Amino acid sequence: MRLYILSGAGLSAPSGIPTFRDGGLWDRYKVEEICSAEAVAKDLAKVNRFYDERRRELAKVEPNEAHRYFAQLESRYETIHLTQNVDDLLERAGADPIHLHGRLTQARCMECAEVFKIGYEPIADRSCPKCDAALRPDVVMFAEVAPDYRYLYTIQADIFIAVGTSGRVIDIADIAQKYPISILINPKREKRVTMFGEFDEYVDEYFTHFIQKDVTKAISDLEDLLREAL
């Protein structure tokens, strides 16, 4: 059995990583000022300070039970895990995900585009060790291309599992329809919202199974569904 997992902010929220919506970071910051291509071009120092703070927060938290569960799934099933999260909690739990939006623990040169591992260190006052140009977070900003989105519709799997994502950035409802078994884990129902606007329907209506729980409390339900599918 092959699994296709797509995770979002709800996977890392129980570990203490702030989400962006619903009382999260976007209530404290303006997207266009710290997380957009325009912001990088206009005020890189401000962008770097914002992500330095996110990196400091990341250094203080640990993987939660759900990170560890999805990591051990990789030892039991053929699994491809795409994550929208830029933290490294899945890796610390032993998983090997594809990061659709980049990695917080890496920096990228503004000139030569070389990528460097920086862990949890600040980059606000550092420069590229190769060409001495300015560094930026190795994170996909709004209005930038996300190269690894090419995986979203090309994966072949028996089961699609969306966990901790509202579907506002990636249309998980559309993806779910392409798989015979699809499972959504999210603590609340979300209206389907795409680039064409908000629909008068809920994302979970497109899935064969909906576990309406916090991700750490949904593990036993998910395990039961996977056993039934065997």
Side-chain angles (χ1 to χ4, degrees), residues 65-156:
E65 185 181 358
H67 289 116
R68 292 188 289 271
Y69 174 76
F70 284 109
Q72 61 93 6
L73 278 185
E74 295 183 12
S75 66
R76 295 165 50 197
Y77 306 106
E78 186 179 358
T79 302
I80 297 179
H81 191 152
L82 307 185
T83 185
Q84 299 171 74
N85 299 335
V86 296
D87 62 66
D88 65 347
L89 296 181
L90 278 166
E91 284 89 342
R92 282 199 252 161
D96 185 25
I98 294 171
H99 284 267
L100 297 174
H101 297 153
R103 298 171 187 261
L104 191 55
T105 53
Q106 296 182 166
R108 187 164 80 246
C109 178
M110 293 284 288
E111 292 295 331
C112 70
E114 188 77 13
V115 174
F116 304 92
K117 291 183 178 180
I118 57 169
Y120 313 109
E121 297 298 317
I123 63 172
D125 300 315
R126 295 170 62 175
S127 59
C128 176
K130 288 189 65 176
C131 68
D132 204 37
L135 295 176
R136 56 159 286 175
D138 187 33
V139 172
V140 178
M141 306 288 175
F142 284 98
E144 291 184 336
V145 174
D148 286 340
Y149 271 31
R150 67 185 186 275
Y151 293 112
L152 287 171
Y153 290 93
T154 58
I155 293 173
Q156 300 295 317

Side-chain angles (χ1 to χ4, degrees), residues 28-87:
R28 290 186 278 148
Y29 301 93
K30 293 183 178 179
V31 178
E32 63 273 15
E33 293 183 358
I34 44 82
C35 196
S36 68
E38 180 183 2
V40 171
K42 183 179 179 181
D43 194 344
L44 178 61
K46 185 174 183 178
V47 172
N48 280 339
R49 287 195 299 271
F50 172 81
Y51 281 97
D52 281 352
E53 182 180 345
R54 306 284 78 75
R55 210 172 288 110
R56 284 192 294 270
E57 292 172 345
L58 179 58
K60 298 175 183 177
V61 301
E62 297 294 334
N64 60 55
E65 185 181 358
H67 289 116
R68 292 188 289 271
Y69 174 76
F70 284 109
Q72 61 93 6
L73 278 185
E74 295 183 12
S75 66
R76 295 165 50 197
Y77 306 106
E78 186 179 358
T79 302
I80 297 179
H81 191 152
L82 307 185
T83 185
Q84 299 171 74
N85 299 335
V86 296
D87 62 66

